[in-house]
């Protein structure tokens, strides 16, 4: 990396702390300077000496160290980097970050920093799934803290599930992406649909669904972060506009289709919106009243299929990706949907009640293309978006050679 970037790496107390040694090596190889803060419990797993040797820098451990305070000061330490990374981030440190507790050097630095923060959670599956942790993750994500992982797999405690820290190479890639090193999709133009559509019954009532737009917005954010010129056509949501993305707000499926068709020369289309399949044919222009003569005579009409229309257009984008929201036979139905709609890939997700896919922060997806099915672990929606973006970038890279 040309102009040297600096990371403040906070190593907390988890068996995954050994992976932070490898992370420092990967970052060093990419020209990213690392300065480490080691927590007391982190020091039970790795030594300050190993971190110092790999980072070629002093390792900071104590809040009340006279030498450290006179040399640098914890406030300055917290702001001396371009990015603060917590890896591994334990359930404990995440809870403290959420609550604003500052009872050691690491948590004080996290509270005092004015720099972006990225965390790589690592903990036992039950701790990860605990409502308290999930609530902390939600609040931290809302505050703009970037989450990398965790992954699913076997754990040091002999259990299996979500909670393994993401692999160091992957975290290093995410850090590089954050610094804009890759810009893997620079020069590409992407269109993403997101959120629900509202189909008017009358001026005050509508048919809608539970989509929050979180998944679609995350995809738009990730594509823009990878350098693609990104247009987000969004149904009504409560979400802020993703940075660096051109947003076109629409309400109905008809409006969404028109906004999509207005965009030309697209390389990538991702249809993550939950478009209503039906609209009211005889929507009233005035508020409908209960008139004591029975139920209103509402007639349904089919909405245009945006994904199918864009996939079958003459000058179609070279890569069109749909999402399939299913409540049963998720993969089988998505395979059929990919064929029926004519898109290149389809990302299947289970939206049965209880999965929390609609409106929640996590998603378990299966990516289906002409070659087969890739089953991804349950991931934060931002992580789904990041991995999908990497897959898209790989696709274009392979097409170039
Ligand atoms: O918004 P969130 O709360 O984060 O939830 C995310 C999500 C579950 C909405 C998202 O991950 C998802 O699955 N989006 C697609 C939802 C959907 O409408 O699926 P479907 O199986 O009904 O449609 C298949 C595909 O056709 C989708 O790409 C959809 O955008 C598209 N479609 C459907 C109907 C229609 N009239 N026009 C379309 O373009």
């Amino acid at each position: 990396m040309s102009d040297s970037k600096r990371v403040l790496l906070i190593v907390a107390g988890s068996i995954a702390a050994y992976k932070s040694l490898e992370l420092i090596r990967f970052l060093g190889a990419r020209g990213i300077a690392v300065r480490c803060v080691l927590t007391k419990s982190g020091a039970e797993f790795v030594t300050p000496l190993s971190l110092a040797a790999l980072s070629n820098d002093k390792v900071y451990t104590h809040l009340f160290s006279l030498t450290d305070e006179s040399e640098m000061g914890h406030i300055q330490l917290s702001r001396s980097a371009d990015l603060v990374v917590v890896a591994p981030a334990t359930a404990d440190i995440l809870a403290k970050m959420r609550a604003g507790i500052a009872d050691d050097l690491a948590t004080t630095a996290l509270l005092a920093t004015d720099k972006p923060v990225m965390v790589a959670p690592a903990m036992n599956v039950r701790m990860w799934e605990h409502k308290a942790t999930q609530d902390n993750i939600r609040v931290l994500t809302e505050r703009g803290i970037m989450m990398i992982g965790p992954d699913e797999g076997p754990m040091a405690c002999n259990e299996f599930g979500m909670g393994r820290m993401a692999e160091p190479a992957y975290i290093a890639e995410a850090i590089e992406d954050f610094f804009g090193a890759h810009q893997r999709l620079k020069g590409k133009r992407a269109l993403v649909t997101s959120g629900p559509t509202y189909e008017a019954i009358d001026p005050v009532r509508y048919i809608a669904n539970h989509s929050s737009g979180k998944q679609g917005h995350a995809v738009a954010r990730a594509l823009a972060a990878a350098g693609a010129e990104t247009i987000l056509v969004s149904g009504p949501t409560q979400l802020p506009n993703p940075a660096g993305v051109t947003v076109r707000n629409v309400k109905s499926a008809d409006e969404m289709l028109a906004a999509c068709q207005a965009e030309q020369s697209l390389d990538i289309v991702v249809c993550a919106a939950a478009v209503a399949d039906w609209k009211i044919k005889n929507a009233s222009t005035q508020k409908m009243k209960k008139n004591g003569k029975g139920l209103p005579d509402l007639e349904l009409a089919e909405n245009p299929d945006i994904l199918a229309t864009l996939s079958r257009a003459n000058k179609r984008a070279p890569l069109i990706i749909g999402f399939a929201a299913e409540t049963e036979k998720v993969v089988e139905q998505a395979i059929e949907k990919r064929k029926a709609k004519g898109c290149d890939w389809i990302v299947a997700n289970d939206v049965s009640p209880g999965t929390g896919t609609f409106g929640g922060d996590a998603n378990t997806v299966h990516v289906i293309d002409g070659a087969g099915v890739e089953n991804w672990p349950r991931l934060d929606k931002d992580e789904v978006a990041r991995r999908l973006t990497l897959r898209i970038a790989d696709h274009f890279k392979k097409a170039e050679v």
Side-chain angles (χ1 to χ4, degrees):
M1 196 168 264
S2 47
D3 60 323
S4 182
K5 297 289 181 193
R6 290 158 305 157
V7 163
L8 182 71
L9 176 65
I10 295 176
V11 180
S14 152
I15 182 69
Y18 77 93
K19 290 186 182 176
S20 56
L21 300 175
E22 215 178 350
L23 175 60
I24 300 169
R25 268 198 325 105
F26 283 132
L27 292 176
R30 288 163 162 86
I32 298 172
V34 183
R35 171 168 286 159
C36 297
V37 170
L38 181 62
T39 67
K40 191 165 175 248
S41 48
E44 300 288 335
F45 296 93
V46 290
T47 66
L49 193 60
S50 337
L51 295 175
L54 288 166
S55 64
N56 273 320
D57 201 349
K58 181 178 163 60
V59 172
Y60 295 81
T61 48
H62 290 104
L63 180 56
F64 300 113
S65 155
L66 193 56
T67 338
D68 292 353
E69 280 302 302
S70 60
E71 270 176 14
M72 174 143 227
H74 61 273
I75 303 288
Q76 205 189 328
L77 178 66
S78 74
R79 298 176 189 176
S80 62
D82 302 295
L83 174 71
V84 180
V85 177
V86 189
T90 57
D92 176 66
I93 203 163
L94 291 168
K96 285 178 175 163
M97 284 171 74
R98 188 244 168 107
I101 293 171
D103 62 354
D104 64 3
L105 180 60
T107 47
T108 306
L110 283 162
L111 198 60
T113 192
D114 57 358
K115 294 294 164 26
V117 178
M118 189 181 270
V119 300
M123 66 198 74
N124 164 272
V125 55
R126 305 275 164 256
M127 292 169 83
W128 171 252
E129 285 172 354
H130 197 285
K131 282 198 175 108
T133 304
Q134 287 305 309
D135 199 37
N136 293 337
I137 295 289
R138 181 184 55 77
V139 172
L140 292 171
T141 309
E142 279 168 10
R143 286 184 198 156
I145 306 286
M146 294 168 275
M147 298 283 157
I148 305 296
D151 286 351
E152 189 176 60
M155 314 202 136
C157 51
N158 291 329
E159 285 189 73
F160 183 94
M162 285 287 280
R164 278 167 64 92
M165 188 170 93
E167 288 307 315
Y170 188 73
I171 301 174
E173 290 249 313
I175 293 172
E176 263 202 308
D177 274 345
F178 169 79
F179 287 135
H182 288 133
Q183 296 284 289
R184 301 167 200 268
L185 292 173
K186 202 170 173 58
K188 301 281 183 236
R189 202 155 185 271
L191 172 78
V192 180
T193 70
S194 180
T197 61
Y198 285 6
E199 308 300 332
I201 296 173
D202 67 17
V204 296
R205 305 178 179 95
Y206 54 81
I207 303 178
N209 59 66
H210 296 296
S211 168
S212 63
K214 284 181 183 173
Q215 186 62 82
H217 279 51
V219 171
R221 205 164 30 243
L223 290 170
E229 179 193 343
T230 307
I231 300 116
L232 173 65
V233 178
S234 174
T237 76
Q238 302 293 319
L239 302 175
N241 290 344
V245 170
T246 304
V247 181
R248 312 242 183 266
N249 291 306
V250 296
K251 283 208 174 93
S252 65
D254 284 322
E255 287 172 17
M256 189 171 271
L257 175 64
C260 290
Q261 286 180 319
E263 300 301 332
Q264 305 295 321
S265 310
L266 296 165
D267 301 289
I268 304 153
V269 172
V270 183
C271 289
V275 185
D277 284 321
W278 304 283
K279 60 186 164 191
I280 306 295
K281 195 173 176 185
N282 53 344
S284 170
T285 51
Q286 300 299 325
K287 184 182 171 197
M288 295 167 80
K289 304 271 187 245
K290 281 190 280 185
N291 57 12
K293 293 183 191 156
L295 298 173
D297 184 19
L298 296 179
E299 243 187 286
L300 290 177
E302 206 162 293
N303 259 330
D305 193 308
I306 300 165
L307 176 61
T309 308
L310 299 178
S311 298
R312 300 213 174 96
N314 282 338
K315 284 190 185 166
R316 93 199 271 283
L319 182 62
I320 302 190
I321 304 168
F323 268 73
E326 307 293 348
T327 52
E328 55 174 350
K329 298 186 188 146
V330 176
V331 172
E332 292 96 306
Q333 304 225 47
I335 289 172
E336 290 311 312
K337 216 169 248 184
R338 187 183 82 88
K339 285 186 203 144
K341 303 218 180 201
C343 58
D344 302 295
W345 305 352
I346 202 151
V347 181
N349 44 199
D350 189 345
V351 292
S352 313
T355 57
T357 307
F358 266 128
D361 293 318
N363 201 355
T364 310
V365 305
H366 314 269
V367 182
I368 298 158
D369 59 16
V373 182
E374 258 178 44
N375 300 311
W376 292 5
R378 189 168 171 77
L379 298 166
D380 181 87
K381 283 180 179 169
D382 274 317
E383 189 62 13
V384 170
R386 203 165 12 240
R387 291 190 189 194
L388 189 63
T389 299
L390 280 179
R391 199 179 197 275
I392 292 170
D394 277 354
H395 168 83
F396 282 105
K397 206 169 159 193
K398 280 182 196 142
E400 276 163 21
V401 282

